[in-house]
Amino acid sequence: MTAPSAAGGPPPDLTLVPALYAAFDDGSLRLHFQPEVDLRNGSVPGMEAHPRWQHPERGMLGPAEFMPIAAAAGLVHQVDQWVLRMAVTEARTWHRMAVGTAIRPPRLWVNIDVRQLASPAFLAEVDRLVTGRLLPAGALGLEFSERALGLSAPIVPRLLEGLRARGVAVAVESFGTWFGSLTMLDLLPLDLVKLDGPYLRATMRDLEGEAVVAAIVRIAHQRRLTVVADGVDTAQLAARVLALDCDRAIGPVFCPPVPVEDARLIALGRGRPDRWYRPPDRADDRLRPWVRAAAG
């Protein structure tokens, strides 16, 4: 989840608090899912869970819009718990729907922020959800921001090992936006590194910046970590991160977050994210597998 509010932002609209309370029961609080695309073959090895609130008058609201309201109402913990619980339930649904087929649904990634990470009950809560819903090993992944891992440093290594022992994959997101990045790769048990989109665009303005990104990717690969480029919004950026040997990408150039019905089709191999994809006139040849898959 994102931070409840931004410093200096407008005050939350407290008239929406009763509707947010009701959203836990009336179905207006829901998850959307964004595919993570393998840059080499166009497959979808993972998807991200994104909370949304379908307000009856204000339309679809993202976390940046409704989490400040949740914070003002003391509902942040409840929202965080709801997102994790619903994500685990949906991941289990994908695997139940795939029974009897050769399909292995993509791993479902859930963002966990510093509030949850610092909770003494966090590991037990994950264990209860994964065990209670009979979730297969590898079906769920939890991603933590680089800052959250840094601020919780004393407890992090053992906690991450505990998650992995329960079959839960671990990722660091927004990588490169906080200090200590490369040290983190050595000290923490991780499966995946997600490079921040704004960081990529700011760094890759020249050959020197691209060399920095290439070095991070190389070091991550040396530690057997998968590298994902986040926030990829143009085919040109997709081609550049592929050239720098990133394994996967996620972003609107491939597919935005989609509702659960569409996500299930993608997860079960019965549909592609091509509904939202518009191939560029001159796609990089190394992106052809994805372009062909999207156009098919």
Side-chain angles (χ1 to χ4, degrees), residues 123 153-166 187-189:
L123 188 59
I155 67 168
V156 163
R158 182 175 296 180
L159 186 147
L160 299 188
E161 287 287 8
L163 290 172
R164 297 179 83 199
R166 290 159 173 78
L187 297 179
L188 299 182

Side-chain angles (χ1 to χ4, degrees), residues 233-270:
D233 54 2
T234 67
Q236 290 74 21
L237 181 57
R240 291 173 73 191
V241 296
L242 174 59
L244 294 175
D245 210 22
C246 288
D247 304 295
R248 304 172 188 172
I250 187 167
V253 71
F254 300 108
C255 185
V258 298
V260 62
E261 297 82 4
D262 298 299
R264 288 177 181 175
L265 291 177
I266 297 170
L268 297 174
R270 299 172 186 168

